[in-house]
Amino acid sequence: MGTDHDRLTAGEDDHPPAVATARASWRRWWWLPAVVAVQKLLFWGVAADLDRGRWFDNLFNWDAWFYLDIAENGYRTTEFIDGRLVRTTMAFFPLYPMLGRALSWLPGVGLRPAMVAIAFVSCLAAVCGIFRLGEALHSARLGAVWALGWAVVPRGFVAAMPYSEPMFTALSVWALVQLARGRWWTAAVLCALAGATRSTGISTLVAVGGAILVALLQVLWARVRRRPPGLVGWLPGTVRFPSAWTLVGAGLLSALGTAAVLAHVAALTGSWQGYFVAQREWGMVMGNPMATVHQWWLVINGPTLPQRETVKAVAYALPAWTVLMVAALVGAWRRPSWRPVVAQSLVLFALMACAQAYFNSKERYLLPGVGLLLPLAWLLAVSIERAPVGVRRWWTGFLALAWFVAAVAWAVFGGTIVTWSVTSP
């Protein structure tokens, strides 16, 4: 009886569906992962049409080659020359390539097909996770619009390549889904796995670990006041606070993935700074975000070779992502249930802005930041829900057509980059 009162006092104006209807919603929205799967296959088809002999090998260019090397040989380069660590694959987190190596042990499964299959399945898992997260925050329609929007972001074609982004996105999103449901241990396990997949897993740790820490402080404060902690007002639904020991254990577990990778690299290099040294040898250092702004200005105003036009495309796209980030922050301020999702995207955005190398990859780094698209998806979903029935049909049809055009353009854009570009996406 107190559910509506608790939600209103928390400042939440959304009404997530009941658990019983959450399962039934798949019977209506089953086509979401199917449509995205066809979209990814279209991208492969364009790449194959442009270069029939090498299209599959082209998927393993750039960073994918280093993941393949880790899967085949592990972290093999630990040599120091004149006191400096040579450029090494230790700058890449190992969970994705090691999973590909494990899958390749199955009869008839090669390493390269295994890594592509993991990325493909992870992409579909991410789509399903975004749908579930949108359903928890507002409605199934928001989840569908949000998932389809994420599927056609410009650099989203890497989700169909053997990169770690699709697996990291899937783990991060499902960690946030479990957090929204109040499944603290499951969220912590998924957060730990995300932390072992990419160095930017720190963003998921801030979101999940930060939420666990806030919940722990609220539980301890309730004990000081000798009152029951009640419901978690900043999560959707009727999530109750667990015990303090549960929160402490889940918080420690959520940091285990990142800590394990850093400790492993430290043991291989003989220095607790081993991973950060490896990053510096790749030119990946954190600095003043104004340096990124200056680099953006030079790219926008400077001449660009035709083969590097994709770098200028990134420069034109970054202001739009900045506007989306501001909109997400405003939405999180007004809707407490958005805060863990937006916190993860905010940290990713800050890491992108402060990274001083590989300007061409900055937009790809934002791919797991699904919270950046949440305000736009919410506006579109609400516009459909509140429109009259006749207008709703026309508006839904228009959005479906726009998505189809974007999906085709996305596939052609991605296939062209994979085949002809000299810079990594």
mmCIF file of all heavy atoms in Angstrom, residues 21-55:
data_model
loop_
_atom_site.group_PDB
_atom_site.id
_atom_site.type_symbol
_atom_site.label_atom_id
_atom_site.label_comp_id
_atom_site.label_asym_id
_atom_site.label_seq_id
_atom_site.Cartn_x
_atom_site.Cartn_y
_atom_site.Cartn_z
ATOM 1 N N THR A 21 4.394 -8.910 -15.488
ATOM 2 C CA THR A 21 4.276 -8.428 -16.862
ATOM 3 C C THR A 21 5.631 -8.283 -17.532
ATOM 4 O O THR A 21 5.696 -8.197 -18.755
ATOM 5 C CB THR A 21 3.551 -7.079 -16.885
ATOM 6 O OG1 THR A 21 4.288 -6.146 -16.094
ATOM 7 C CG2 THR A 21 2.151 -7.204 -16.336
ATOM 8 N N ALA A 22 6.717 -8.255 -16.750
ATOM 9 C CA ALA A 22 8.047 -8.133 -17.339
ATOM 10 C C ALA A 22 8.374 -9.348 -18.199
ATOM 11 O O ALA A 22 8.922 -9.224 -19.293
ATOM 12 C CB ALA A 22 9.094 -7.967 -16.240
ATOM 13 N N ARG A 23 8.013 -10.543 -17.713
ATOM 14 C CA ARG A 23 8.243 -11.747 -18.516
ATOM 15 C C ARG A 23 7.359 -11.753 -19.757
ATOM 16 O O ARG A 23 7.805 -12.111 -20.852
ATOM 17 C CB ARG A 23 7.960 -12.985 -17.672
ATOM 18 C CG ARG A 23 8.970 -13.234 -16.555
ATOM 19 C CD ARG A 23 8.666 -14.545 -15.846
ATOM 20 N NE ARG A 23 9.649 -14.806 -14.801
ATOM 21 C CZ ARG A 23 9.645 -15.888 -14.035
ATOM 22 N NH1 ARG A 23 8.689 -16.799 -14.188
ATOM 23 N NH2 ARG A 23 10.578 -16.054 -13.112
ATOM 24 N N ALA A 24 6.122 -11.365 -19.590
ATOM 25 C CA ALA A 24 5.193 -11.372 -20.721
ATOM 26 C C ALA A 24 5.600 -10.378 -21.799
ATOM 27 O O ALA A 24 5.253 -10.563 -22.971
ATOM 28 C CB ALA A 24 3.784 -11.059 -20.231
ATOM 29 N N SER A 25 6.351 -9.339 -21.431
ATOM 30 C CA SER A 25 6.722 -8.323 -22.421
ATOM 31 C C SER A 25 7.595 -8.887 -23.521
ATOM 32 O O SER A 25 7.591 -8.372 -24.640
ATOM 33 C CB SER A 25 7.436 -7.153 -21.735
ATOM 34 O OG SER A 25 8.667 -7.572 -21.182
ATOM 35 N N TRP A 26 8.346 -9.952 -23.225
ATOM 36 C CA TRP A 26 9.178 -10.541 -24.278
ATOM 37 C C TRP A 26 8.337 -11.111 -25.409
ATOM 38 O O TRP A 26 8.785 -11.164 -26.557
ATOM 39 C CB TRP A 26 10.072 -11.641 -23.702
ATOM 40 C CG TRP A 26 11.307 -11.124 -23.044
ATOM 41 C CD1 TRP A 26 11.691 -11.298 -21.761
ATOM 42 C CD2 TRP A 26 12.348 -10.338 -23.649
ATOM 43 N NE1 TRP A 26 12.888 -10.671 -21.514
ATOM 44 C CE2 TRP A 26 13.313 -10.078 -22.663
ATOM 45 C CE3 TRP A 26 12.545 -9.814 -24.932
ATOM 46 C CZ2 TRP A 26 14.464 -9.339 -22.905
ATOM 47 C CZ3 TRP A 26 13.696 -9.076 -25.175
ATOM 48 C CH2 TRP A 26 14.637 -8.840 -24.181
ATOM 49 N N ARG A 27 7.138 -11.540 -25.104
ATOM 50 C CA ARG A 27 6.276 -12.078 -26.156
ATOM 51 C C ARG A 27 5.859 -10.982 -27.141
ATOM 52 O O ARG A 27 5.503 -11.278 -28.285
ATOM 53 C CB ARG A 27 5.038 -12.734 -25.544
ATOM 54 C CG ARG A 27 5.338 -14.059 -24.846
ATOM 55 C CD ARG A 27 4.062 -14.837 -24.561
ATOM 56 N NE ARG A 27 3.274 -14.217 -23.510
ATOM 57 C CZ ARG A 27 3.383 -14.511 -22.217
ATOM 58 N NH1 ARG A 27 4.266 -15.411 -21.821
ATOM 59 N NH2 ARG A 27 2.627 -13.910 -21.318
ATOM 60 N N ARG A 28 5.914 -9.744 -26.684
ATOM 61 C CA ARG A 28 5.570 -8.631 -27.566
ATOM 62 C C ARG A 28 6.802 -8.030 -28.236
ATOM 63 O O ARG A 28 6.723 -7.560 -29.369
ATOM 64 C CB ARG A 28 4.845 -7.553 -26.760
ATOM 65 C CG ARG A 28 4.425 -6.353 -27.579
ATOM 66 C CD ARG A 28 3.757 -5.296 -26.723
ATOM 67 N NE ARG A 28 3.366 -4.150 -27.533
ATOM 68 C CZ ARG A 28 2.892 -3.014 -27.030
ATOM 69 N NH1 ARG A 28 2.716 -2.893 -25.707
ATOM 70 N NH2 ARG A 28 2.573 -2.013 -27.823
ATOM 71 N N TRP A 29 7.936 -8.069 -27.529
ATOM 72 C CA TRP A 29 9.132 -7.376 -28.022
ATOM 73 C C TRP A 29 10.247 -8.334 -28.422
ATOM 74 O O TRP A 29 11.402 -7.941 -28.506
ATOM 75 C CB TRP A 29 9.648 -6.420 -26.953
ATOM 76 C CG TRP A 29 8.654 -5.383 -26.534
ATOM 77 C CD1 TRP A 29 7.830 -5.417 -25.450
ATOM 78 C CD2 TRP A 29 8.360 -4.162 -27.213
ATOM 79 N NE1 TRP A 29 7.046 -4.286 -25.402
ATOM 80 C CE2 TRP A 29 7.348 -3.490 -26.466
ATOM 81 C CE3 TRP A 29 8.860 -3.542 -28.370
ATOM 82 C CZ2 TRP A 29 6.830 -2.257 -26.858
ATOM 83 C CZ3 TRP A 29 8.335 -2.315 -28.749
ATOM 84 C CH2 TRP A 29 7.335 -1.691 -27.996
ATOM 85 N N TRP A 30 9.924 -9.586 -28.728
ATOM 86 C CA TRP A 30 10.940 -10.578 -29.079
ATOM 87 C C TRP A 30 11.737 -10.188 -30.327
ATOM 88 O O TRP A 30 12.883 -10.612 -30.516
ATOM 89 C CB TRP A 30 10.262 -11.938 -29.333
ATOM 90 C CG TRP A 30 9.300 -11.891 -30.484
ATOM 91 C CD1 TRP A 30 7.976 -11.616 -30.439
ATOM 92 C CD2 TRP A 30 9.611 -12.093 -31.868
ATOM 93 N NE1 TRP A 30 7.419 -11.639 -31.692
ATOM 94 C CE2 TRP A 30 8.399 -11.929 -32.593
ATOM 95 C CE3 TRP A 30 10.774 -12.409 -32.572
ATOM 96 C CZ2 TRP A 30 8.352 -12.075 -33.983
ATOM 97 C CZ3 TRP A 30 10.717 -12.543 -33.956
ATOM 98 C CH2 TRP A 30 9.512 -12.381 -34.640
ATOM 99 N N TRP A 31 11.131 -9.373 -31.165
ATOM 100 C CA TRP A 31 11.747 -9.045 -32.444
ATOM 101 C C TRP A 31 12.912 -8.073 -32.311
ATOM 102 O O TRP A 31 13.676 -7.881 -33.273
ATOM 103 C CB TRP A 31 10.702 -8.438 -33.387
ATOM 104 C CG TRP A 31 9.926 -7.311 -32.783
ATOM 105 C CD1 TRP A 31 8.753 -7.385 -32.114
ATOM 106 C CD2 TRP A 31 10.309 -5.920 -32.784
ATOM 107 N NE1 TRP A 31 8.355 -6.140 -31.687
ATOM 108 C CE2 TRP A 31 9.288 -5.223 -32.086
ATOM 109 C CE3 TRP A 31 11.383 -5.208 -33.297
ATOM 110 C CZ2 TRP A 31 9.342 -3.849 -31.899
ATOM 111 C CZ3 TRP A 31 11.439 -3.834 -33.117
ATOM 112 C CH2 TRP A 31 10.427 -3.170 -32.419
ATOM 113 N N LEU A 32 13.083 -7.462 -31.150
ATOM 114 C CA LEU A 32 14.172 -6.481 -30.986
ATOM 115 C C LEU A 32 15.544 -7.078 -31.282
ATOM 116 O O LEU A 32 16.270 -6.588 -32.161
ATOM 117 C CB LEU A 32 14.137 -5.896 -29.576
ATOM 118 C CG LEU A 32 13.255 -4.669 -29.347
ATOM 119 C CD1 LEU A 32 13.237 -4.313 -27.877
ATOM 120 C CD2 LEU A 32 13.746 -3.503 -30.183
ATOM 121 N N PRO A 33 15.984 -8.136 -30.563
ATOM 122 C CA PRO A 33 17.296 -8.701 -30.894
ATOM 123 C C PRO A 33 17.346 -9.281 -32.299
ATOM 124 O O PRO A 33 18.417 -9.271 -32.935
ATOM 125 C CB PRO A 33 17.493 -9.778 -29.820
ATOM 126 C CG PRO A 33 16.133 -10.097 -29.316
ATOM 127 C CD PRO A 33 15.353 -8.825 -29.417
ATOM 128 N N ALA A 34 16.212 -9.767 -32.811
ATOM 129 C CA ALA A 34 16.207 -10.323 -34.163
ATOM 130 C C ALA A 34 16.505 -9.245 -35.196
ATOM 131 O O ALA A 34 17.301 -9.443 -36.128
ATOM 132 C CB ALA A 34 14.857 -10.984 -34.446
ATOM 133 N N VAL A 35 15.863 -8.080 -35.050
ATOM 134 C CA VAL A 35 16.096 -6.974 -35.983
ATOM 135 C C VAL A 35 17.540 -6.497 -35.915
ATOM 136 O O VAL A 35 18.175 -6.238 -36.947
ATOM 137 C CB VAL A 35 15.123 -5.820 -35.675
ATOM 138 C CG1 VAL A 35 15.548 -4.552 -36.388
ATOM 139 C CG2 VAL A 35 13.704 -6.196 -36.089
ATOM 140 N N VAL A 36 18.090 -6.385 -34.704
ATOM 141 C CA VAL A 36 19.475 -5.944 -34.560
ATOM 142 C C VAL A 36 20.426 -6.985 -35.139
ATOM 143 O O VAL A 36 21.450 -6.644 -35.755
ATOM 144 C CB VAL A 36 19.796 -5.671 -33.079
ATOM 145 C CG1 VAL A 36 21.271 -5.330 -32.905
ATOM 146 C CG2 VAL A 36 18.928 -4.536 -32.559
ATOM 147 N N ALA A 37 20.115 -8.274 -34.997
ATOM 148 C CA ALA A 37 20.950 -9.315 -35.582
ATOM 149 C C ALA A 37 21.002 -9.185 -37.099
ATOM 150 O O ALA A 37 22.072 -9.298 -37.715
ATOM 151 C CB ALA A 37 20.423 -10.695 -35.180
ATOM 152 N N VAL A 38 19.841 -8.926 -37.716
ATOM 153 C CA VAL A 38 19.806 -8.726 -39.166
ATOM 154 C C VAL A 38 20.634 -7.501 -39.554
ATOM 155 O O VAL A 38 21.341 -7.501 -40.571
ATOM 156 C CB VAL A 38 18.353 -8.582 -39.645
ATOM 157 C CG1 VAL A 38 18.302 -8.164 -41.116
ATOM 158 C CG2 VAL A 38 17.597 -9.885 -39.437
ATOM 159 N N GLN A 39 20.569 -6.464 -38.735
ATOM 160 C CA GLN A 39 21.343 -5.253 -39.012
ATOM 161 C C GLN A 39 22.838 -5.560 -39.010
ATOM 162 O O GLN A 39 23.575 -5.107 -39.891
ATOM 163 C CB GLN A 39 21.027 -4.202 -37.953
ATOM 164 C CG GLN A 39 21.818 -2.916 -38.110
ATOM 165 C CD GLN A 39 21.926 -2.163 -36.799
ATOM 166 O OE1 GLN A 39 21.727 -2.737 -35.724
ATOM 167 N NE2 GLN A 39 22.247 -0.897 -36.875
ATOM 168 N N LYS A 40 23.310 -6.332 -38.045
ATOM 169 C CA LYS A 40 24.732 -6.678 -37.992
ATOM 170 C C LYS A 40 25.125 -7.551 -39.184
ATOM 171 O O LYS A 40 26.216 -7.402 -39.742
ATOM 172 C CB LYS A 40 25.058 -7.402 -36.685
ATOM 173 C CG LYS A 40 24.621 -6.670 -35.423
ATOM 174 C CD LYS A 40 25.099 -5.240 -35.377
ATOM 175 C CE LYS A 40 24.522 -4.518 -34.160
ATOM 176 N NZ LYS A 40 24.785 -3.057 -34.183
ATOM 177 N N LEU A 41 24.242 -8.466 -39.572
ATOM 178 C CA LEU A 41 24.523 -9.299 -40.733
ATOM 179 C C LEU A 41 24.597 -8.458 -42.006
ATOM 180 O O LEU A 41 25.387 -8.751 -42.914
ATOM 181 C CB LEU A 41 23.450 -10.375 -40.869
ATOM 182 C CG LEU A 41 23.405 -11.433 -39.752
ATOM 183 C CD1 LEU A 41 22.228 -12.379 -39.960
ATOM 184 C CD2 LEU A 41 24.714 -12.208 -39.686
ATOM 185 N N LEU A 42 23.787 -7.402 -42.075
ATOM 186 C CA LEU A 42 23.852 -6.494 -43.221
ATOM 187 C C LEU A 42 25.206 -5.804 -43.276
ATOM 188 O O LEU A 42 25.788 -5.635 -44.363
ATOM 189 C CB LEU A 42 22.727 -5.461 -43.125
ATOM 190 C CG LEU A 42 22.676 -4.409 -44.241
ATOM 191 C CD1 LEU A 42 22.461 -5.068 -45.591
ATOM 192 C CD2 LEU A 42 21.565 -3.397 -43.959
ATOM 193 N N PHE A 43 25.743 -5.415 -42.129
ATOM 194 C CA PHE A 43 27.076 -4.815 -42.071
ATOM 195 C C PHE A 43 28.118 -5.791 -42.604
ATOM 196 O O PHE A 43 28.989 -5.427 -43.405
ATOM 197 C CB PHE A 43 27.380 -4.425 -40.628
ATOM 198 C CG PHE A 43 28.834 -4.282 -40.303
ATOM 199 C CD1 PHE A 43 29.604 -3.280 -40.878
ATOM 200 C CD2 PHE A 43 29.442 -5.167 -39.424
ATOM 201 C CE1 PHE A 43 30.958 -3.151 -40.569
ATOM 202 C CE2 PHE A 43 30.784 -5.048 -39.104
ATOM 203 C CZ PHE A 43 31.541 -4.044 -39.687
ATOM 204 N N TRP A 44 28.039 -7.049 -42.176
ATOM 205 C CA TRP A 44 28.978 -8.046 -42.697
ATOM 206 C C TRP A 44 28.795 -8.228 -44.207
ATOM 207 O O TRP A 44 29.771 -8.425 -44.935
ATOM 208 C CB TRP A 44 28.750 -9.387 -41.993
ATOM 209 C CG TRP A 44 29.235 -9.413 -40.580
ATOM 210 C CD1 TRP A 44 29.989 -8.475 -39.953
ATOM 211 C CD2 TRP A 44 28.965 -10.432 -39.608
ATOM 212 N NE1 TRP A 44 30.216 -8.837 -38.651
ATOM 213 C CE2 TRP A 44 29.606 -10.028 -38.410
ATOM 214 C CE3 TRP A 44 28.248 -11.622 -39.624
ATOM 215 C CZ2 TRP A 44 29.547 -10.796 -37.253
ATOM 216 C CZ3 TRP A 44 28.187 -12.389 -38.474
ATOM 217 C CH2 TRP A 44 28.829 -11.986 -37.300
ATOM 218 N N GLY A 45 27.541 -8.187 -44.662
ATOM 219 C CA GLY A 45 27.289 -8.343 -46.085
ATOM 220 C C GLY A 45 27.912 -7.233 -46.909
ATOM 221 O O GLY A 45 28.491 -7.485 -47.981
ATOM 222 N N VAL A 46 27.822 -5.994 -46.431
ATOM 223 C CA VAL A 46 28.449 -4.873 -47.137
ATOM 224 C C VAL A 46 29.963 -5.049 -47.165
ATOM 225 O O VAL A 46 30.616 -4.851 -48.201
ATOM 226 C CB VAL A 46 28.074 -3.537 -46.466
ATOM 227 C CG1 VAL A 46 28.868 -2.386 -47.078
ATOM 228 C CG2 VAL A 46 26.580 -3.277 -46.603
ATOM 229 N N ALA A 47 30.544 -5.429 -46.025
ATOM 230 C CA ALA A 47 31.995 -5.639 -45.965
ATOM 231 C C ALA A 47 32.427 -6.756 -46.917
ATOM 232 O O ALA A 47 33.463 -6.653 -47.586
ATOM 233 C CB ALA A 47 32.416 -5.964 -44.533
ATOM 234 N N ALA A 48 31.631 -7.827 -46.992
ATOM 235 C CA ALA A 48 31.964 -8.937 -47.884
ATOM 236 C C ALA A 48 31.830 -8.531 -49.351
ATOM 237 O O ALA A 48 32.614 -8.958 -50.206
ATOM 238 C CB ALA A 48 31.060 -10.124 -47.580
ATOM 239 N N ASP A 49 30.846 -7.713 -49.663
ATOM 240 C CA ASP A 49 30.655 -7.276 -51.043
ATOM 241 C C ASP A 49 31.799 -6.378 -51.509
ATOM 242 O O ASP A 49 32.194 -6.422 -52.676
ATOM 243 C CB ASP A 49 29.322 -6.535 -51.156
ATOM 244 C CG ASP A 49 29.013 -6.147 -52.592
ATOM 245 O OD1 ASP A 49 28.805 -7.053 -53.415
ATOM 246 O OD2 ASP A 49 28.985 -4.927 -52.882
ATOM 247 N N LEU A 50 32.344 -5.573 -50.595
ATOM 248 C CA LEU A 50 33.437 -4.669 -50.952
ATOM 249 C C LEU A 50 34.769 -5.392 -51.093
ATOM 250 O O LEU A 50 35.643 -4.947 -51.830
ATOM 251 C CB LEU A 50 33.561 -3.553 -49.909
ATOM 252 C CG LEU A 50 32.389 -2.566 -49.847
ATOM 253 C CD1 LEU A 50 32.576 -1.588 -48.691
ATOM 254 C CD2 LEU A 50 32.263 -1.799 -51.159
ATOM 255 N N ASP A 51 34.942 -6.481 -50.338
ATOM 256 C CA ASP A 51 36.219 -7.213 -50.395
ATOM 257 C C ASP A 51 35.937 -8.676 -50.059
ATOM 258 O O ASP A 51 36.100 -9.119 -48.926
ATOM 259 C CB ASP A 51 37.209 -6.618 -49.397
ATOM 260 C CG ASP A 51 38.624 -7.156 -49.588
ATOM 261 O OD1 ASP A 51 38.791 -8.120 -50.350
ATOM 262 O OD2 ASP A 51 39.553 -6.609 -48.967
ATOM 263 N N ARG A 52 35.494 -9.420 -51.091
ATOM 264 C CA ARG A 52 35.050 -10.789 -50.854
ATOM 265 C C ARG A 52 36.161 -11.682 -50.316
ATOM 266 O O ARG A 52 35.912 -12.588 -49.523
ATOM 267 C CB ARG A 52 34.491 -11.388 -52.148
ATOM 268 C CG ARG A 52 33.221 -10.715 -52.621
ATOM 269 C CD ARG A 52 32.647 -11.403 -53.854
ATOM 270 N NE ARG A 52 31.439 -10.727 -54.299
ATOM 271 C CZ ARG A 52 30.232 -10.969 -53.824
ATOM 272 N NH1 ARG A 52 30.086 -11.877 -52.877
ATOM 273 N NH2 ARG A 52 29.174 -10.319 -54.283
ATOM 274 N N GLY A 53 37.384 -11.443 -50.724
ATOM 275 C CA GLY A 53 38.475 -12.326 -50.326
ATOM 276 C C GLY A 53 38.968 -12.114 -48.909
ATOM 277 O O GLY A 53 39.459 -13.055 -48.279
ATOM 278 N N ARG A 54 38.844 -10.885 -48.407
ATOM 279 C CA ARG A 54 39.464 -10.588 -47.122
ATOM 280 C C ARG A 54 38.516 -9.971 -46.096
ATOM 281 O O ARG A 54 38.963 -9.486 -45.058
ATOM 282 C CB ARG A 54 40.644 -9.606 -47.338
ATOM 283 C CG ARG A 54 41.855 -10.228 -47.990
ATOM 284 C CD ARG A 54 42.996 -9.213 -48.040
ATOM 285 N NE ARG A 54 43.195 -8.562 -46.753
ATOM 286 C CZ ARG A 54 43.900 -9.095 -45.745
ATOM 287 N NH1 ARG A 54 44.450 -10.292 -45.899
ATOM 288 N NH2 ARG A 54 44.049 -8.443 -44.606
ATOM 289 N N TRP A 55 37.225 -9.984 -46.337
ATOM 290 C CA TRP A 55 36.323 -9.249 -45.452
ATOM 291 C C TRP A 55 36.383 -9.768 -44.024
ATOM 292 O O TRP A 55 36.360 -8.975 -43.073
ATOM 293 C CB TRP A 55 34.897 -9.300 -45.979
ATOM 294 C CG TRP A 55 34.186 -10.607 -45.739
ATOM 295 C CD1 TRP A 55 34.147 -11.685 -46.556
ATOM 296 C CD2 TRP A 55 33.399 -10.941 -44.590
ATOM 297 N NE1 TRP A 55 33.405 -12.684 -45.995
ATOM 298 C CE2 TRP A 55 32.924 -12.259 -44.783
ATOM 299 C CE3 TRP A 55 33.047 -10.262 -43.424
ATOM 300 C CZ2 TRP A 55 32.129 -12.915 -43.858
ATOM 301 C CZ3 TRP A 55 32.252 -10.908 -42.489
ATOM 302 C CH2 TRP A 55 31.798 -12.216 -42.703
#
